[in-house]
Amino acid sequence: MADIPKFAFLLPALFFVANAFAAQPGHEWREEKLQAPAFLGESLDVRALLPPDYDAAQRYPVLYLNDGQDGQAVGLKATLQRLRAEGRIAPLIVIAIGMPKDRLGAYGLSDRLATRSLVGGSRVGPIGVQAHAYSHWLADSLVPFVDARYRSVPRPQGRAILGWSLGGLNAFNLGWQYPEIFGITGAFSPSFWLAGERGDAAAIQRTRLAQRMLDAGSKREGSRFWLTVGDREETDDRDGDGIIDAVDDARDLVDGYAGSGATLRGLRQLGYKTNLGERDMPAADDTAAFRLFAGGEHNQASWAKELPEFLGWAFPASGGGKLLHFPQFSSARVASRNVDVWLPPGYDGDPRKRYPVLYLHDGQNLFDASRDTAYGGTTWGIDEAMTKLIASGGIRAAIVVAVWNTPARLAEYMPAKAVTTDAVHFVDGWPDLPRGDLRSDEYLSFLVDELKPFIDERFRTLPGRDDTMLMGSSMGGLISAYALTEYPQVFGRAACVSTHWPAGGGAAIDYFGKHLPDPATHRFYFDHGTATLDAAYAPYQQRMDQAMQRAGYRNGVNWISREFPGADHSEKSWRKRVEVPLRFLLGR
């Protein structure tokens, strides 16, 4: 078959340009036309779609869309509305970017370091002459503009770029060349056939620009790529293997290519995890997701059918509930810090119902990996665990308040009244902290006198001691236990996970042993692993367990102490067992 059809889809579907987001009955997504920065003097039609429950106290991931004029043709609004109603995706903002006048020039590949476009040839002329300028404009001008205007997640794992055809080629370029901006890339029917040489089929195979760009690079840590291609996009088969070029080109980008005198790496060879060759449908943890769409053609109707799968992979629902973000919550006692509040499923359904409150430390490690704030890249998945346990009836529905840490974490989490030496030793190789620098009493005063009153006033809480609890890991375990000794009238329960007892030579154990609250009204959970830092905790925990017994606590009743063999000192380990302390704190 002649390659005319292959290039016919490069031309825009002009009849879809007008009213791309025409109102549809029942739609509640709000559309705003933006006065965005101009691209090479051209004012592009840039529109924002905001979710119905858009809340200025919450941050949202953002999907940037090339060929935004196709929004109605691919059913964008209807798909977003349906997936949100079904609980399949998280709330997000969409920035739909109408195509530039010179679509063939803008939608292509670039070499960011060399500040130039990677131009390929075609029967209708050069492709990507302005690709560097367009990609640079989108990443360095449009994204900051959007971040300044909306409550967006200003990190790569909170931004996705999506496109189809040439727009998909450029989306891949943006994800690859600007990994610190875009952490998620979607490319539907991408034009990976674009080559530097077109003399014959072998020349095209070995000079495909996207394949060579990838081969010359290295893994973009944290980046995820989704490639969708239909098996009825065309009939061309330049290498005569019985598979159309569109499918071959996309597969080669994942699996690598060897032939025609060239060996070029793919995403798999660079260390990305892919479902290709193993599963038809990508999984949430695939970082090079490949989707062959049976019967898929090169048109908006096919892309509309694939859109839900991509959105579900790129923006999965948090598992229920609602996450609110309060940036830089001010305090007269300690430095300002971010605070997240998670409301359980059903919170908005019954205005009379009140909920217990669980306060957690190191709050940036608890929710939503797309934020890219969790230590080690793994969150505790608190929202998922809570939703699961609530749905099964294993725990009471509760509000979770996640208090982010600051650079003063050690000073704020080390129990000050337990320290009798001039300085505190935490871990070999770390500098000791002078006793006078400790701020844990101020931190607890912030929780009790500033944050808790705000939470109790803003949300429908059960504010009493029996319904107010804390949880933390490592140093967060120490400050959780300290809170019960200092404010027994405020906090009734604490879960101390992998508690870092060696801090100060175990000074906190001696202090807690003399100041434990009444076992008739309070409950404690302790645990530890046996690997990395946790390997040193057992003797300290045994001392603490003895102190609990002397104070009248009964193991398995109002106090639990557990060991998890093989578990190390990490968010990954705490995520695996987080349901255990949650059941202890909130169990029915």
Side-chain angles (χ1 to χ4, degrees), residues 63-66 138 159-163 171 174-175 182 184-186 310:
L63 170 64
Y64 289 81
L65 177 64
N66 277 336
L138 202 159
R159 298 193 195 96
I161 178 70
L162 171 65
L174 281 158
F182 297 104
I184 305 169
T185 298
F310 167 74

Side-chain angles (χ1 to χ4, degrees), residues 347-422:
Y347 179 86
D348 294 327
D350 184 353
R352 298 167 299 177
K353 186 175 182 179
R354 292 187 171 272
Y355 297 84
V357 182
L358 171 59
Y359 290 84
L360 289 101
H361 315 287
D362 292 316
Q364 71 277 8
N365 297 331
L366 305 178
F367 303 105
D368 190 5
S370 71
R371 288 172 161 182
D372 198 27
T373 61
Y375 185 77
T378 299
T379 72
W380 286 36
I382 288 291
D383 47 350
E384 300 166 28
M386 289 287 293
T387 301
K388 175 184 174 182
L389 292 173
I390 292 169
S392 68
I395 64 172
R396 294 187 292 161
I399 295 170
V400 176
V401 179
V403 186
W404 292 36
N405 66 35
T406 72
R409 178 177 183 267
L410 295 180
E412 292 180 344
Y413 289 5
M414 180 65 203
K417 293 177 183 175
V419 178
T420 58
T421 56
D422 292 337

Side-chain angles (χ1 to χ4, degrees), residues 408 410-412 414 416 422 432-440 442:
L410 295 180
E412 292 180 344
M414 180 65 203
D422 292 337
D432 291 350
L433 186 67
R435 179 184 179 186
D437 290 348
L438 296 178
R439 293 291 180 270
S440 52
E442 291 83 351

Side-chain angles (χ1 to χ4, degrees), residues 13-20 69-73 300:
L14 293 176
F15 52 90
F16 288 120
V17 172
N19 299 318
Q69 75 282 346
D70 286 348
Q72 185 178 8
Q300 288 96 338

Side-chain angles (χ1 to χ4, degrees), residues 12-131:
L14 293 176
F15 52 90
F16 288 120
V17 172
N19 299 318
F21 297 112
Q24 300 179 29
H27 261 302
E28 299 177 8
W29 285 69
R30 185 168 87 246
E31 176 189 339
E32 295 184 354
K33 182 175 174 61
L34 305 182
Q35 298 299 318
F39 163 60
L40 296 181
E42 179 184 355
S43 295
L44 301 186
D45 184 5
V46 180
R47 298 172 185 259
L49 285 177
L50 306 179
D53 53 354
Y54 182 77
D55 185 341
Q58 181 177 353
R59 287 197 177 272
Y60 296 84
V62 182
L63 170 64
Y64 289 81
L65 177 64
N66 277 336
D67 278 321
Q69 75 282 346
D70 286 348
Q72 185 178 8
V74 299
L76 180 60
K77 273 188 175 180
T79 299
L80 291 169
Q81 184 82 1
R82 176 171 60 84
L83 295 181
R84 281 292 294 140
E86 293 173 354
R88 292 176 56 188
I89 62 172
L92 68 146
I93 297 170
V94 178
I95 303 298
I97 311 163
M99 65 179 183
K101 292 178 181 177
D102 183 9
R103 182 174 183 272
L104 302 187
Y107 287 173
L109 302 171
S110 66
D111 184 333
R112 181 183 179 185
L113 292 178
T115 64
R116 67 184 182 92
S117 299
L118 301 177
V119 181
S122 75
R123 289 187 59 184
V124 296
I127 305 294
V129 174
Q130 299 292 345

Side-chain angles (χ1 to χ4, degrees), residues 448-462:
V448 171
D449 299 322
E450 295 177 323
L451 182 58
K452 186 177 186 297
F454 169 80
I455 297 297
D456 290 340
E457 180 180 355
R458 176 79 180 255
F459 303 101
R460 299 194 312 275
T461 68
L462 292 169

Side-chain angles (χ1 to χ4, degrees), residues 534-545:
D534 280 32
Y537 290 172
Y540 294 95
Q541 187 60 59
Q542 290 167 9
R543 285 174 51 194
M544 189 64 222
D545 293 346

Side-chain angles (χ1 to χ4, degrees), residues 219-366:
K219 185 179 182 182
R220 274 50 174 162
E221 294 296 338
S223 292
R224 305 164 65 210
F225 297 89
W226 173 289
L227 308 180
T228 285
V229 63
D231 61 6
R232 295 179 58 188
E233 301 222 6
E234 59 176 338
T235 58
D236 286 5
D237 178 14
R238 77 175 77 91
D239 61 356
D241 66 350
I243 300 173
I244 61 173
D245 292 341
V247 174
D248 263 346
D249 294 339
R251 281 181 172 171
D252 288 348
L253 203 80
V254 175
D255 260 347
Y257 171 74
S260 301
T263 300
L264 304 171
R265 296 179 300 169
L267 291 168
R268 189 193 299 271
Q269 287 74 40
L270 294 181
Y272 288 88
K273 183 178 183 297
T274 182
N275 62 297
L276 182 57
E278 299 177 8
R279 289 170 277 107
D280 292 337
M281 184 59 68
D285 61 344
D286 286 322
T287 52
F290 180 87
R291 169 87 168 130
L292 180 60
F293 180 26
E297 301 177 351
H298 201 96
N299 56 39
Q300 288 96 338
S302 288
W303 301 329
K305 293 177 181 178
E306 285 299 288
L307 189 59
E309 301 298 341
F310 167 74
L311 291 174
W313 174 84
F315 304 101
S318 63
K322 183 178 183 180
L323 185 64
L324 305 178
H325 182 67
F326 297 89
Q328 295 304 303
F329 191 97
S330 62
S331 168
R333 295 165 173 80
V334 292
S336 300
R337 67 205 59 219
N338 295 331
V339 174
D340 291 329
V341 177
W342 182 83
L343 303 177
Y347 179 86
D348 294 327
D350 184 353
R352 298 167 299 177
K353 186 175 182 179
R354 292 187 171 272
Y355 297 84
V357 182
L358 171 59
Y359 290 84
L360 289 101
H361 315 287
D362 292 316
Q364 71 277 8
N365 297 331
L366 305 178

